[in-house]
Amino acid sequence: MDDRTAPPIVGVIEQVAAQAPDRPALIHDGGAVGYGRLMAEVRGLAAQFARAGLQPRDAVGVALAEERAAIPVSLALLRLGCRQVALPPRDPGPVREDLATRLSLVAVVGMSPSDAVGRAAIVVPDLDAAAREGEGPAAPPSLTGDVVVGTSGT
């Protein structure tokens, strides 16, 4: 199977969640998160982001230092069909501003207003509300988005 025939990653994770919802998907300092809970968060976050006005093909920055939140956020953006780029809060402001401008970001997913860059709207995810909202049968993802990977060049 090559890239052109591989199922989208969100769909693959959704299949695992249906077959083994309690199987650990994420292991972090606070414990483990099962695939069922992860996908409930992903579905709920995608709904939160859609209500915030995000649409397929929108460019969105992700300014989350905590991987526990960043992973379901990234998957939710993929499920919604958004393009995304990491904007680590530790990066210098001018670097983040430059990326926001060059990629025409419409929003930044972050935990506080200080995560905002440029004229992009700030969207604060709520994982617990997302998990409650995303419970139940899964609808197929609408689209698949893109992840833009940036490095320092070192």
Side-chain angles (χ1 to χ4, degrees), residues 16-17 19-27 32-38:
V16 174
Q19 295 167 1
D22 296 326
R23 182 176 172 189
L26 301 174
I27 299 172
V33 177
Y35 277 93
R37 165 75 189 220
L38 173 64

Side-chain angles (χ1 to χ4, degrees), residues 46-68:
Q48 285 178 20
F49 298 157
R51 283 192 302 275
L54 298 183
Q55 300 177 19
R57 306 304 306 155
D58 279 349
V60 180
V62 178
L64 298 170
E66 181 189 319
E67 287 180 3
R68 170 62 186 94

Side-chain angles (χ1 to χ4, degrees), residues 4-48:
R4 293 166 290 177
T5 60
I9 187 68
V10 176
V12 171
I13 296 171
E14 194 78 67
Q15 289 173 356
V16 174
Q19 295 167 1
D22 296 326
R23 182 176 172 189
L26 301 174
I27 299 172
H28 59 96
D29 290 341
V33 177
Y35 277 93
R37 165 75 189 220
L38 173 64
M39 288 315 300
E41 291 173 359
V42 168
R43 289 189 298 271
L45 287 168
Q48 285 178 20

Side-chain angles (χ1 to χ4, degrees), residues 61-64 85-91 95-96 99-100 105 108 115 117:
V62 178
L64 298 170
V85 63
L87 294 174
R90 69 180 178 277
D91 283 357
V95 170
R96 293 163 41 90
L99 271 173
L105 297 185
V108 173
D115 292 327
V117 292

